[in-house]
Amino acid sequence: AQSVTQPDIHITVSEGASLELRCNYSYGATPYLFWYVQSPGQGLQLLLKYFSGDTLVQGIKGFEAEFKRSQSSFNLRKPSVHWSDAAEYFCAVGLFPGTYKYIFGTGTRLKVLA
Amino acid sequence: DTAVSQTPKYLVTQMGNDKSIKCEQNLGHDTMYWYKQDSKKFLKIMFSYNNKELIINETVPNRFSPKSPDKAHLNLHINSLELGDSAVYFCASSQEGGADTQYFGPGTRLTVL
């Protein structure tokens, strides 16, 4: 069965520190991978996505993610966190085209200390 | 210009009532979705529609009935509301399903008393 695991429910970092949010997926075919961010009281906004090609993808707000097929991972990184990055982060897998289905991880809540 | 809009933003109602949530997208997308986000922030797909046709119904109770009058609108009607229906409901749209970016609405927080 397809699944997405985000092992860290909460992460706290200091402003200016680096960040890595983990995401592991289970899916038999080539995954379409996404990272979304949800600020309090808001809907989800796409940070970045991976479909194919270069396994290191750049997104908005200075985020990047690396797809590692051998580890079934798609970890999100940012070299220097800003206070405004405090939010909930969701990793998602889009199943092969035509299924109209996405599976989301349980989310990681990021807290940023001033 | 709001890409995906939902109304109302908040909905407080009594058990047993019937309520509707409306969603509209102005992105020209062919596919629309309803998601339920519970109190632990878990996001689960409920329905997917493509070109006004129901594609996915993820074992949602039949008290929930989506309706898509046209490609730009997907409404959600809920009959006989129960306490467990309390959640945030998100509408989303994408051009294609499964491989395309989804654009989410701001959410509707439903509280059933």
Side-chain angles (χ1 to χ4, degrees):
Chain A
Q2 308 96 353
S3 66
V4 177
T5 302
Q6 293 180 245
D8 305 305
I9 299 174
H10 294 99
I11 283 186
T12 300
V13 299
S14 298
E15 192 170 20
S18 63
L19 172 70
E20 182 169 29
L21 302 183
R22 296 182 291 165
C23 173
N24 292 96
Y25 66 90
S26 173
Y27 183 50
T30 299
Y32 294 77
L33 296 161
F34 306 82
W35 274 100
Y36 288 87
V37 60
Q38 183 182 23
S39 298
Q42 305 293 318
L44 280 71
Q45 180 187 18
L46 180 75
L47 283 176
L48 47 78
K49 60 186 178 185
Y50 172 79
F51 289 169
S52 64
D54 193 346
T55 56
L56 184 64
V57 293
Q58 303 296 321
I60 62 171
K61 305 184 182 188
F63 285 92
E64 67 177 27
E66 186 171 12
F67 170 59
K68 292 186 178 180
R69 185 185 299 275
S70 61
Q71 298 177 18
S72 298
S73 68
F74 188 55
N75 294 347
L76 182 71
R77 300 194 293 250
K78 186 169 185 178
S80 177
V81 169
H82 188 261
W83 64 266
S84 61
D85 293 324
E88 192 91 22
Y89 290 80
F90 292 93
C91 181
V93 168
L95 304 188
F96 53 86
T99 64
Y100 306 96
K101 186 173 179 179
Y102 300 78
I103 297 174
F104 282 77
T106 49
T108 297
R109 177 164 293 182
L110 174 65
K111 183 177 178 180
V112 180
L113 301 176
Chain B
D1 251 0
T2 304
V4 182
S5 59
Q6 293 178 232
T7 53
K9 189 167 175 62
Y10 299 97
L11 197 48
V12 181
T13 188
Q14 300 287 331
M15 266 187 1
N17 284 351
D18 304 338
K19 289 293 178 186
S20 292
I21 306 172
K22 295 188 175 184
C23 177
E24 176 181 2
Q25 55 98 0
N26 63 8
L27 298 168
H29 288 162
D30 289 339
T31 310
M32 296 185 73
Y33 313 80
W34 277 111
Y35 284 88
K36 179 180 180 180
Q37 186 175 49
D38 63 23
S39 58
K40 295 186 178 179
K41 299 289 187 179
F42 183 60
L43 198 65
K44 190 172 191 309
I45 194 166
M46 300 172 69
F47 302 103
S48 294
Y49 266 76
N50 179 259
N51 284 318
K52 302 192 299 176
E53 289 193 21
L54 179 65
I55 304 296
I56 286 180
N57 178 339
E58 282 289 295
T59 59
V60 177
N62 56 16
R63 297 184 296 104
F64 290 79
S65 51
K67 281 190 173 53
S68 182
D70 54 60
K71 286 199 310 183
H73 296 85
L74 180 62
N75 304 323
L76 184 65
H77 187 75
I78 315 170
N79 290 326
S80 303
L81 277 155
E82 300 177 357
L83 292 176
D85 298 332
S86 295
V88 180
Y89 292 85
F90 286 101
C91 177
S93 73
S94 69
Q95 183 53 40
E96 294 182 14
D100 204 359
T101 301
Q102 293 182 296
Y103 293 81
F104 284 81
T108 296
R109 181 175 293 276
L110 171 65
T111 302
V112 182
L113 303 174

